[in-house]
Amino acid sequence: MVQPAVSSAPPAISVAHKTDPGRDPDKQVNEDSCGYGLCALGHVLVVCDGMGGHMSGRDASQRAVG
């Protein structure tokens, strides 16, 4: 019996993201960040909530994804 070839590469995937600033009309700046990458174990997808209204929320979420 022939064994199938084993590939060490992770399967190809399509990645899309969408975030929302939330319901509060006073906080309509979207501070969320999303990221994607490959690591030794496969695909890594990250979503960080920017904590709208807090000082440097956008910077914090971007650095966490970075």
Side-chain angles (χ1 to χ4, degrees), residues 28-48:
Q28 290 302 300
V29 175
N30 192 345
E31 297 181 344
D32 302 341
S33 296
C34 302
Y36 163 79
L38 285 172
C39 70
L41 299 176
H43 302 281
V44 176
L45 300 139
V46 179
V47 178
C48 293

Side-chain angles (χ1 to χ4, degrees), residues 8-63:
S8 61
I13 63 172
S14 295
V15 177
H17 68 277
K18 181 178 179 180
T19 62
D20 188 276
R23 293 184 178 185
D24 190 339
D26 296 329
K27 298 177 185 174
Q28 290 302 300
V29 175
N30 192 345
E31 297 181 344
D32 302 341
S33 296
C34 302
Y36 163 79
L38 285 172
C39 70
L41 299 176
H43 302 281
V44 176
L45 300 139
V46 179
V47 178
C48 293
D49 188 336
M51 298 291 293
H54 294 282
M55 186 181 299
S56 300
R58 176 178 288 154
D59 294 335
S61 68
Q62 289 175 345
R63 286 180 182 217

